[in-house]
Amino acid sequence: MSAGNLPVKKFKSSKKMAGLNGDKLQVAANGALQLAQMDTSYYAYCFDTGVDFECYWYPATDVVVTDPWSPYPY
């Protein structure tokens, strides 16, 4: 990913930063349903424009991780 001449910073977070819209998940099930959380990471490409710090987040399934990513500091 690139944004002209702006340097790219890559961050990783275990907080939900991308994926499902909102807090609701529609499910069709017969009988009992048990939801479990899994340890999922989210990855961001961030750009500092001098005015704003823009980050574009992606779930781990959409990113090929070949290099170390910094923990998201915010």
Side-chain angles (χ1 to χ4, degrees), residues 25-44:
L25 176 65
Q26 187 172 0
V27 178
N30 291 328
L33 176 71
Q34 182 177 357
L35 297 178
Q37 290 182 327
M38 59 184 206
D39 183 20
T40 304
S41 295
Y42 298 90
Y43 295 88

Side-chain angles (χ1 to χ4, degrees), residues 5-68:
N5 295 330
L6 297 175
V8 177
K9 295 180 182 178
K10 299 188 298 185
F11 292 107
K12 176 181 176 180
S13 176
S14 58
K15 270 187 176 179
K16 186 170 180 71
M17 303 296 231
L20 296 173
N21 295 329
D23 294 12
K24 296 179 181 170
L25 176 65
Q26 187 172 0
V27 178
N30 291 328
L33 176 71
Q34 182 177 357
L35 297 178
Q37 290 182 327
M38 59 184 206
D39 183 20
T40 304
S41 295
Y42 298 90
Y43 295 88
Y45 294 93
C46 299
F47 308 94
D48 189 351
T49 66
V51 176
D52 291 318
F53 189 68
E54 302 272 339
C55 290
Y56 298 89
W57 289 94
Y58 300 93
T61 55
D62 292 352
V63 178
V64 176
V65 178
T66 56
D67 300 320

